[in-house]
Amino acid sequence: MTDADKKSLNIPSREEWLQALTERHGAERQKAFTDAAVAVCGLGGLGSNISIALTRAGIGRLILIDFDKVDITNLHRQQYKASQIGMYKTEALAGNLREISPYTELITHTVKLDEDNMHEILKDADIICEAFDKADMKAMLVNYVLENFPDKYILSGSGMAGFGSANTIQTKHVTKRLYISGDGVSDVNDGIGLVSARVMACAAHEAHMVLRILLGETEP
Protein backbone atom coordinates (compact mmCIF):
# COMPACT_ATOMS: atom_id res chain seq x y z
CA MET A 1 0.00 0.00 0.00
CA THR A 2 1.44 3.35 -1.05
CA ASP A 3 1.51 6.47 1.12
CA ALA A 4 -1.16 7.97 -1.16
CA ASP A 5 -3.39 4.92 -0.62
CA LYS A 6 -2.96 5.19 3.16
CA LYS A 7 -3.80 8.87 3.08
CA SER A 8 -6.96 8.24 1.05
CA LEU A 9 -8.05 5.64 3.61
CA ASN A 10 -7.25 7.99 6.50
CA ILE A 11 -4.51 5.62 7.75
CA PRO A 12 -1.90 7.44 9.85
CA SER A 13 1.73 7.41 8.79
CA ARG A 14 4.21 5.19 10.62
CA GLU A 15 5.58 8.27 12.36
CA GLU A 16 2.12 9.32 13.52
CA TRP A 17 1.35 5.80 14.71
CA LEU A 18 4.55 5.55 16.76
CA GLN A 19 4.10 9.04 18.15
CA ALA A 20 0.63 8.16 19.41
CA LEU A 21 1.94 5.01 21.08
CA THR A 22 4.92 6.84 22.55
CA GLU A 23 2.66 9.51 24.04
CA ARG A 24 0.66 6.73 25.69
CA HIS A 25 3.48 4.44 26.87
CA GLY A 26 6.56 6.67 27.04
CA ALA A 27 9.53 6.56 24.66
CA GLU A 28 11.61 3.99 26.53
CA ARG A 29 8.72 1.58 27.03
CA GLN A 30 7.52 1.92 23.47
CA LYS A 31 11.01 1.23 22.12
CA ALA A 32 11.07 -2.00 24.14
CA PHE A 33 7.75 -3.02 22.58
CA THR A 34 8.68 -1.97 19.04
CA ASP A 35 12.01 -3.83 19.18
CA ALA A 36 10.42 -7.07 20.42
CA ALA A 37 9.44 -10.24 18.56
CA VAL A 38 6.68 -12.37 20.08
CA ALA A 39 5.48 -15.76 18.82
CA VAL A 40 1.84 -16.76 19.29
CA CYS A 41 1.42 -20.52 18.94
CA GLY A 42 -2.21 -21.30 18.20
CA LEU A 43 -4.63 -18.66 16.94
CA GLY A 44 -7.89 -19.72 18.53
CA GLY A 45 -9.74 -17.91 21.31
CA LEU A 46 -6.62 -17.44 23.41
CA GLY A 47 -4.08 -16.76 20.67
CA SER A 48 -6.19 -14.47 18.51
CA ASN A 49 -7.00 -12.28 21.52
CA ILE A 50 -3.36 -12.22 22.65
CA SER A 51 -2.37 -11.12 19.16
CA ILE A 52 -4.93 -8.30 19.12
CA ALA A 53 -3.72 -6.96 22.48
CA LEU A 54 -0.04 -7.10 21.51
CA THR A 55 -0.70 -5.42 18.18
CA ARG A 56 -2.53 -2.57 19.88
CA ALA A 57 0.43 -2.18 22.26
CA GLY A 58 2.79 -1.72 19.32
CA ILE A 59 4.82 -4.94 19.45
CA GLY A 60 7.17 -4.69 16.50
CA ARG A 61 7.03 -8.26 15.20
CA LEU A 62 4.47 -11.01 15.70
CA ILE A 63 5.09 -14.59 14.61
CA LEU A 64 1.67 -16.21 14.08
CA ILE A 65 1.41 -20.00 13.97
CA ASP A 66 -1.63 -22.18 13.27
CA PHE A 67 -2.62 -24.82 10.69
CA ASP A 68 -6.40 -24.58 11.08
CA LYS A 69 -9.10 -22.72 9.14
CA VAL A 70 -11.78 -20.40 10.51
CA ASP A 71 -15.02 -22.25 11.25
CA ILE A 72 -18.45 -20.92 12.20
CA THR A 73 -18.00 -22.54 15.63
CA ASN A 74 -15.00 -20.27 16.26
CA LEU A 75 -16.85 -16.99 15.95
CA HIS A 76 -18.31 -16.89 19.46
CA ARG A 77 -14.88 -16.42 21.08
CA GLN A 78 -12.19 -15.91 18.45
CA GLN A 79 -11.17 -12.68 16.71
CA TYR A 80 -12.49 -13.53 13.26
CA LYS A 81 -15.40 -12.39 11.10
CA ALA A 82 -18.20 -14.36 9.47
CA SER A 83 -16.79 -13.34 6.09
CA GLN A 84 -13.52 -15.13 6.96
CA ILE A 85 -15.01 -18.60 7.41
CA GLY A 86 -12.94 -21.07 5.42
CA MET A 87 -9.78 -18.94 5.46
CA TYR A 88 -6.63 -20.12 7.18
CA LYS A 89 -6.48 -18.51 10.59
CA THR A 90 -2.99 -17.18 9.90
CA GLU A 91 -4.23 -15.29 6.85
CA ALA A 92 -7.48 -14.11 8.42
CA LEU A 93 -5.88 -12.88 11.65
CA ALA A 94 -3.03 -11.19 9.80
CA GLY A 95 -5.60 -9.26 7.77
CA ASN A 96 -7.44 -8.18 10.91
CA LEU A 97 -4.23 -7.14 12.63
CA ARG A 98 -3.13 -5.06 9.63
CA GLU A 99 -6.36 -3.10 9.94
CA ILE A 100 -5.33 -2.24 13.50
CA SER A 101 -1.66 -1.59 12.80
CA PRO A 102 -0.29 -1.58 9.25
CA TYR A 103 3.21 -1.16 10.68
CA THR A 104 3.47 -4.32 12.78
CA GLU A 105 5.66 -6.92 11.06
CA LEU A 106 3.64 -10.12 10.75
CA ILE A 107 5.27 -13.46 10.02
CA THR A 108 2.82 -16.31 9.45
CA HIS A 109 3.41 -20.05 9.54
CA THR A 110 0.45 -22.13 8.39
CA VAL A 111 1.80 -25.36 9.84
CA LYS A 112 1.34 -27.66 12.81
CA LEU A 113 4.16 -27.10 15.26
CA ASP A 114 6.19 -30.18 16.13
CA GLU A 115 9.67 -30.95 17.36
CA ASP A 116 11.00 -31.02 13.78
CA ASN A 117 10.00 -27.44 12.84
CA MET A 118 9.80 -25.75 16.23
CA HIS A 119 13.38 -24.54 16.46
CA GLU A 120 13.41 -22.85 13.07
CA ILE A 121 10.03 -21.17 13.56
CA LEU A 122 10.60 -19.93 17.12
CA LYS A 123 14.32 -19.14 17.14
CA ASP A 124 13.87 -15.39 16.48
CA ALA A 125 11.16 -14.83 19.10
CA ASP A 126 12.03 -13.08 22.36
CA ILE A 127 8.89 -14.36 24.09
CA ILE A 128 6.65 -17.30 23.17
CA CYS A 129 2.93 -17.51 23.96
CA GLU A 130 1.44 -20.99 24.10
CA ALA A 131 -2.22 -20.87 23.09
CA PHE A 132 -3.10 -24.43 22.10
CA ASP A 133 -6.32 -26.27 22.94
CA LYS A 134 -4.85 -29.72 23.60
CA ALA A 135 -2.89 -30.60 26.73
CA ASP A 136 -0.32 -32.73 24.89
CA MET A 137 0.50 -29.87 22.50
CA LYS A 138 0.80 -27.45 25.42
CA ALA A 139 3.20 -29.76 27.23
CA MET A 140 5.26 -30.43 24.11
CA LEU A 141 5.77 -26.73 23.40
CA VAL A 142 6.51 -25.70 26.98
CA ASN A 143 8.98 -28.53 27.50
CA TYR A 144 10.71 -27.90 24.19
CA VAL A 145 11.16 -24.20 24.87
CA LEU A 146 12.45 -24.74 28.41
CA GLU A 147 14.89 -27.41 27.26
CA ASN A 148 16.10 -25.85 24.02
CA PHE A 149 15.69 -22.07 24.41
CA PRO A 150 17.04 -21.23 27.88
CA ASP A 151 17.12 -17.53 27.02
CA LYS A 152 13.44 -17.27 26.04
CA TYR A 153 10.35 -16.71 28.17
CA ILE A 154 7.25 -18.82 27.58
CA LEU A 155 3.72 -18.02 28.71
CA SER A 156 1.04 -20.70 28.80
CA GLY A 157 -2.70 -20.86 29.47
CA SER A 158 -4.45 -23.36 31.74
CA GLY A 159 -8.09 -23.12 32.81
CA MET A 160 -10.41 -20.53 31.29
CA ALA A 161 -13.61 -22.46 30.50
CA GLY A 162 -17.11 -21.89 31.82
CA PHE A 163 -19.04 -19.08 33.48
CA GLY A 164 -17.06 -18.96 36.72
CA SER A 165 -15.75 -15.68 38.04
CA ALA A 166 -13.10 -14.10 35.87
CA ASN A 167 -11.43 -13.01 39.11
CA THR A 168 -10.15 -16.56 39.57
CA ILE A 169 -7.96 -16.18 36.48
CA GLN A 170 -4.44 -15.29 37.54
CA THR A 171 -0.91 -15.35 36.20
CA LYS A 172 1.59 -17.42 38.13
CA HIS A 173 5.38 -17.29 37.84
CA VAL A 174 6.15 -21.01 37.83
CA THR A 175 9.87 -21.06 37.00
CA LYS A 176 12.36 -18.40 35.99
CA ARG A 177 11.11 -18.27 32.40
CA LEU A 178 7.68 -19.94 32.58
CA TYR A 179 4.37 -18.25 33.40
CA ILE A 180 0.92 -19.83 33.44
CA SER A 181 -2.32 -17.83 33.17
CA GLY A 182 -5.77 -19.18 34.02
CA ASP A 183 -7.69 -20.63 36.93
CA GLY A 184 -5.77 -23.91 36.71
CA VAL A 185 -8.97 -25.92 37.18
CA SER A 186 -11.68 -25.51 34.53
CA ASP A 187 -11.39 -27.76 31.50
CA VAL A 188 -13.43 -27.69 28.31
CA ASN A 189 -13.21 -31.50 28.23
CA ASP A 190 -15.37 -31.57 31.37
CA GLY A 191 -18.25 -30.30 29.26
CA ILE A 192 -17.85 -26.68 30.31
CA GLY A 193 -17.97 -24.44 27.25
CA LEU A 194 -15.50 -21.73 26.40
CA VAL A 195 -17.01 -18.26 26.78
CA SER A 196 -15.58 -15.28 24.95
CA ALA A 197 -15.30 -12.91 27.92
CA ARG A 198 -13.48 -15.40 30.16
CA VAL A 199 -11.16 -16.53 27.36
CA MET A 200 -10.39 -12.87 26.64
CA ALA A 201 -9.59 -12.31 30.32
CA CYS A 202 -7.02 -15.10 30.22
CA ALA A 203 -5.59 -13.80 26.95
CA ALA A 204 -5.27 -10.34 28.50
CA HIS A 205 -3.27 -11.84 31.36
CA GLU A 206 -0.82 -13.45 28.93
CA ALA A 207 -0.51 -10.35 26.76
CA HIS A 208 -0.02 -8.05 29.74
CA MET A 209 2.66 -10.32 31.17
CA VAL A 210 4.48 -10.14 27.84
CA LEU A 211 4.54 -6.36 28.11
CA ARG A 212 5.74 -6.48 31.72
CA ILE A 213 8.57 -8.86 30.84
CA LEU A 214 9.69 -6.59 28.02
CA LEU A 215 9.85 -3.76 30.54
CA GLY A 216 11.96 -5.83 32.94
CA GLU A 217 9.04 -6.43 35.31
CA THR A 218 9.22 -10.20 35.65
CA GLU A 219 6.70 -10.70 38.47
CA PRO A 220 2.95 -10.93 37.70
Side-chain angles (χ1 to χ4, degrees):
M1 185 181 295
T2 66
D3 290 341
D5 291 334
K6 291 175 183 176
K7 187 174 182 180
S8 67
L9 294 171
N10 202 31
I11 295 174
S13 67
R14 179 179 178 83
E15 291 72 22
E16 290 170 328
W17 173 254
L18 287 174
Q19 181 180 352
L21 288 170
T22 298
E23 289 176 355
R24 175 61 59 182
H25 300 143
E28 186 175 346
R29 294 188 185 95
Q30 189 55 50
K31 186 177 188 306
F33 299 160
T34 303
D35 290 347
V38 179
V40 183
C41 305
L43 304 178
L46 192 59
S48 62
N49 279 290
I50 291 170
S51 301
I52 292 282
L54 294 179
T55 298
R56 292 195 184 282
I59 294 296
R61 181 191 302 174
L62 286 179
I63 302 166
L64 307 174
I65 307 144
D66 201 303
F67 65 92
D68 206 0
K69 292 182 178 181
V70 179
D71 184 82
I72 191 172
T73 61
N74 301 147
L75 299 184
H76 76 284
R77 72 185 187 281
Q78 302 181 17
Q79 290 292 338
Y80 301 104
K81 307 169 187 177
S83 61
Q84 294 175 318
I85 291 173
M87 293 177 63
Y88 281 109
K89 289 183 178 179
T90 47
E91 297 173 5
L93 187 60
N96 294 343
L97 296 179
R98 288 191 183 99
E99 290 186 25
I100 296 169
S101 168
Y103 307 108
T104 300
E105 181 182 357
L106 301 176
I107 300 169
T108 59
H109 295 278
T110 308
V111 297
K112 186 174 183 178
L113 269 184
D114 57 37
E115 293 187 354
D116 292 329
N117 61 21
M118 209 173 289
H119 191 278
E120 184 64 26
I121 290 174
L122 300 178
K123 65 181 182 179
D124 294 327
D126 301 307
I127 300 176
I128 297 163
C129 292
E130 177 280 309
F132 292 137
D133 293 329
K134 296 183 178 179
D136 59 336
M137 290 292 292
K138 289 175 177 287
M140 179 193 69
L141 176 58
V142 170
N143 291 335
Y144 186 93
V145 171
L146 294 178
E147 292 171 7
N148 295 277
F149 292 121
D151 60 330
K152 299 184 189 301
Y153 291 92
I154 180 161
L155 290 80
S156 182
S158 177
M160 65 203 78
F163 289 93
S165 173
N167 293 334
T168 60
I169 293 176
Q170 301 177 5
T171 297
K172 296 182 179 180
H173 194 176
V174 181
T175 67
K176 183 178 180 181
R177 294 187 178 274
L178 170 63
Y179 299 79
I180 296 180
S181 299
D183 61 29
V185 178
S186 61
D187 191 334
V188 68
N189 292 322
D190 293 334
I192 307 172
L194 290 165
V195 183
S196 61
R198 206 160 189 265
V199 172
M200 289 174 72
C202 190
H205 268 262
E206 276 201 45
H208 193 64
M209 196 65 236
V210 168
L211 301 180
R212 285 181 57 77
I213 291 169
L214 291 173
L215 298 178
E217 303 289 343
T218 56
E219 291 305 315

Short mmCIF file of all heavy atoms in Angstrom, two decimals, residues 4-30:
data_model
loop_
_atom_site.label_atom_id
_atom_site.label_comp_id
_atom_site.label_asym_id
_atom_site.label_seq_id
_atom_site.Cartn_x
_atom_site.Cartn_y
_atom_site.Cartn_z
N ALA A 4 0.06 7.32 -0.65
CA ALA A 4 -1.16 7.97 -1.16
C ALA A 4 -2.40 7.14 -0.83
O ALA A 4 -3.46 7.68 -0.46
CB ALA A 4 -1.04 8.17 -2.67
N ASP A 5 -2.27 5.80 -0.95
CA ASP A 5 -3.39 4.92 -0.62
C ASP A 5 -3.75 5.05 0.86
O ASP A 5 -4.92 5.11 1.22
CB ASP A 5 -3.03 3.47 -0.93
CG ASP A 5 -2.92 3.20 -2.42
OD1 ASP A 5 -3.56 3.93 -3.20
OD2 ASP A 5 -2.17 2.28 -2.80
N LYS A 6 -2.71 5.07 1.72
CA LYS A 6 -2.96 5.19 3.16
C LYS A 6 -3.64 6.51 3.48
O LYS A 6 -4.55 6.56 4.32
CB LYS A 6 -1.63 5.07 3.92
CG LYS A 6 -1.02 3.68 3.88
CD LYS A 6 0.34 3.66 4.55
CE LYS A 6 0.97 2.28 4.43
NZ LYS A 6 2.34 2.25 4.99
N LYS A 7 -3.21 7.56 2.83
CA LYS A 7 -3.80 8.87 3.08
C LYS A 7 -5.26 8.89 2.67
O LYS A 7 -6.12 9.44 3.38
CB LYS A 7 -3.01 9.95 2.33
CG LYS A 7 -3.46 11.37 2.67
CD LYS A 7 -2.56 12.40 2.01
CE LYS A 7 -2.99 13.81 2.39
NZ LYS A 7 -2.12 14.83 1.76
N SER A 8 -5.57 8.25 1.53
CA SER A 8 -6.96 8.24 1.05
C SER A 8 -7.86 7.44 1.98
O SER A 8 -9.06 7.69 2.06
CB SER A 8 -7.02 7.66 -0.37
OG SER A 8 -6.69 6.28 -0.37
N LEU A 9 -7.29 6.46 2.68
CA LEU A 9 -8.05 5.64 3.61
C LEU A 9 -7.98 6.17 5.04
O LEU A 9 -8.47 5.55 5.97
CB LEU A 9 -7.52 4.20 3.58
CG LEU A 9 -7.71 3.44 2.27
CD1 LEU A 9 -6.96 2.11 2.31
CD2 LEU A 9 -9.20 3.20 2.01
N ASN A 10 -7.38 7.35 5.18
CA ASN A 10 -7.25 7.99 6.50
C ASN A 10 -6.41 7.15 7.47
O ASN A 10 -6.66 7.15 8.68
CB ASN A 10 -8.62 8.27 7.11
CG ASN A 10 -8.57 9.37 8.16
OD1 ASN A 10 -7.74 10.29 8.07
ND2 ASN A 10 -9.43 9.29 9.16
N ILE A 11 -5.42 6.42 6.93
CA ILE A 11 -4.51 5.62 7.75
C ILE A 11 -3.33 6.51 8.15
O ILE A 11 -2.72 7.13 7.29
CB ILE A 11 -4.01 4.39 6.98
CG1 ILE A 11 -5.18 3.45 6.69
CG2 ILE A 11 -2.93 3.65 7.78
CD1 ILE A 11 -4.82 2.28 5.81
N PRO A 12 -3.01 6.59 9.43
CA PRO A 12 -1.90 7.44 9.85
C PRO A 12 -0.58 6.92 9.31
O PRO A 12 -0.43 5.74 8.99
CB PRO A 12 -1.94 7.34 11.38
CG PRO A 12 -2.62 6.05 11.66
CD PRO A 12 -3.63 5.87 10.57
N SER A 13 0.39 7.82 9.21
CA SER A 13 1.73 7.41 8.79
C SER A 13 2.38 6.61 9.92
O SER A 13 1.91 6.61 11.06
CB SER A 13 2.59 8.63 8.47
OG SER A 13 2.85 9.38 9.66
N ARG A 14 3.48 5.93 9.60
CA ARG A 14 4.21 5.19 10.62
C ARG A 14 4.67 6.12 11.74
O ARG A 14 4.59 5.77 12.92
CB ARG A 14 5.41 4.49 10.00
CG ARG A 14 6.25 3.70 11.01
CD ARG A 14 7.43 3.00 10.35
NE ARG A 14 8.22 2.31 11.34
CZ ARG A 14 7.96 1.10 11.83
NH1 ARG A 14 6.92 0.43 11.38
NH2 ARG A 14 8.74 0.54 12.74
N GLU A 15 5.12 7.30 11.37
CA GLU A 15 5.58 8.27 12.36
C GLU A 15 4.44 8.69 13.29
O GLU A 15 4.62 8.79 14.50
CB GLU A 15 6.19 9.49 11.67
CG GLU A 15 7.51 9.23 10.94
CD GLU A 15 7.35 8.41 9.67
OE1 GLU A 15 6.23 8.39 9.10
OE2 GLU A 15 8.34 7.78 9.25
N GLU A 16 3.27 8.93 12.72
CA GLU A 16 2.12 9.32 13.52
C GLU A 16 1.69 8.17 14.45
O GLU A 16 1.33 8.40 15.61
CB GLU A 16 0.96 9.73 12.60
CG GLU A 16 1.20 11.03 11.86
CD GLU A 16 0.16 11.28 10.80
OE1 GLU A 16 -0.35 10.30 10.20
OE2 GLU A 16 -0.16 12.47 10.55
N TRP A 17 1.73 6.97 13.92
CA TRP A 17 1.35 5.80 14.71
C TRP A 17 2.28 5.64 15.91
O TRP A 17 1.83 5.47 17.04
CB TRP A 17 1.40 4.56 13.81
CG TRP A 17 1.21 3.25 14.49
CD1 TRP A 17 2.15 2.31 14.75
CD2 TRP A 17 -0.02 2.71 15.00
NE1 TRP A 17 1.62 1.23 15.39
CE2 TRP A 17 0.27 1.44 15.57
CE3 TRP A 17 -1.33 3.17 15.05
CZ2 TRP A 17 -0.69 0.64 16.16
CZ3 TRP A 17 -2.29 2.37 15.65
CH2 TRP A 17 -1.97 1.12 16.19
N LEU A 18 3.59 5.71 15.66
CA LEU A 18 4.55 5.55 16.76
C LEU A 18 4.48 6.71 17.75
O LEU A 18 4.65 6.52 18.95
CB LEU A 18 5.97 5.43 16.18
CG LEU A 18 6.28 4.10 15.50
CD1 LEU A 18 7.66 4.14 14.85
CD2 LEU A 18 6.20 2.94 16.48
N GLN A 19 4.23 7.89 17.25
CA GLN A 19 4.10 9.04 18.15
C GLN A 19 2.92 8.87 19.10
O GLN A 19 3.03 9.16 20.29
CB GLN A 19 3.93 10.33 17.34
CG GLN A 19 3.83 11.58 18.22
CD GLN A 19 3.65 12.85 17.41
OE1 GLN A 19 3.73 12.83 16.19
NE2 GLN A 19 3.40 13.95 18.09
N ALA A 20 1.80 8.38 18.57
CA ALA A 20 0.63 8.16 19.41
C ALA A 20 0.91 7.12 20.49
O ALA A 20 0.52 7.28 21.66
CB ALA A 20 -0.56 7.75 18.55
N LEU A 21 1.60 6.04 20.11
CA LEU A 21 1.94 5.01 21.08
C LEU A 21 2.94 5.52 22.11
O LEU A 21 2.84 5.21 23.30
CB LEU A 21 2.51 3.78 20.36
CG LEU A 21 1.51 2.95 19.55
CD1 LEU A 21 2.25 1.93 18.70
CD2 LEU A 21 0.52 2.26 20.47
N THR A 22 3.90 6.29 21.64
CA THR A 22 4.92 6.84 22.55
C THR A 22 4.30 7.78 23.56
O THR A 22 4.66 7.79 24.74
CB THR A 22 6.02 7.55 21.74
OG1 THR A 22 6.65 6.59 20.89
CG2 THR A 22 7.06 8.18 22.66
N GLU A 23 3.35 8.60 23.12
CA GLU A 23 2.66 9.51 24.04
C GLU A 23 1.89 8.73 25.10
O GLU A 23 1.76 9.19 26.23
CB GLU A 23 1.71 10.42 23.25
CG GLU A 23 2.44 11.45 22.41
CD GLU A 23 1.50 12.29 21.57
OE1 GLU A 23 0.27 12.00 21.59
OE2 GLU A 23 1.97 13.21 20.88
N ARG A 24 1.42 7.55 24.75
CA ARG A 24 0.66 6.73 25.69
C ARG A 24 1.58 5.96 26.64
O ARG A 24 1.34 5.90 27.84
CB ARG A 24 -0.23 5.76 24.91
CG ARG A 24 -1.00 4.75 25.77
CD ARG A 24 -1.95 5.41 26.73
NE ARG A 24 -2.93 6.24 26.05
CZ ARG A 24 -3.85 6.96 26.67
NH1 ARG A 24 -3.88 6.98 27.99
NH2 ARG A 24 -4.72 7.68 25.99
N HIS A 25 2.65 5.36 26.08
CA HIS A 25 3.48 4.44 26.87
C HIS A 25 4.78 5.05 27.37
O HIS A 25 5.38 4.51 28.31
CB HIS A 25 3.82 3.21 26.02
CG HIS A 25 2.62 2.45 25.57
ND1 HIS A 25 2.54 1.84 24.33
CD2 HIS A 25 1.43 2.19 26.18
CE1 HIS A 25 1.37 1.25 24.20
NE2 HIS A 25 0.68 1.45 25.30
N GLY A 26 5.24 6.13 26.73
CA GLY A 26 6.56 6.67 27.04
C GLY A 26 7.57 6.13 26.04
O GLY A 26 7.45 4.99 25.56
N ALA A 27 8.59 6.91 25.72
CA ALA A 27 9.53 6.56 24.66
C ALA A 27 10.31 5.28 24.96
O ALA A 27 10.47 4.41 24.10
CB ALA A 27 10.50 7.73 24.43
N GLU A 28 10.80 5.15 26.19
CA GLU A 28 11.61 3.99 26.53
C GLU A 28 10.78 2.70 26.50
O GLU A 28 11.22 1.67 25.97
CB GLU A 28 12.23 4.17 27.92
CG GLU A 28 13.20 3.07 28.30
CD GLU A 28 13.89 3.34 29.62
OE1 GLU A 28 13.84 4.49 30.11
OE2 GLU A 28 14.50 2.39 30.16
N ARG A 29 9.58 2.77 27.04
CA ARG A 29 8.72 1.58 27.03
C ARG A 29 8.32 1.21 25.60
O ARG A 29 8.34 0.04 25.23
CB ARG A 29 7.46 1.84 27.86
CG ARG A 29 7.70 2.02 29.36
CD ARG A 29 6.39 2.06 30.11
NE ARG A 29 6.57 2.36 31.54
CZ ARG A 29 6.49 3.56 32.07
NH1 ARG A 29 6.22 4.61 31.29
NH2 ARG A 29 6.68 3.75 33.36
N GLN A 30 7.96 2.23 24.82
CA GLN A 30 7.52 1.92 23.47
C GLN A 30 8.65 1.34 22.63
O GLN A 30 8.44 0.45 21.82
CB GLN A 30 6.95 3.16 22.78
CG GLN A 30 6.29 2.84 21.44
CD GLN A 30 5.22 1.77 21.58
OE1 GLN A 30 4.34 1.84 22.43
NE2 GLN A 30 5.31 0.72 20.76
#
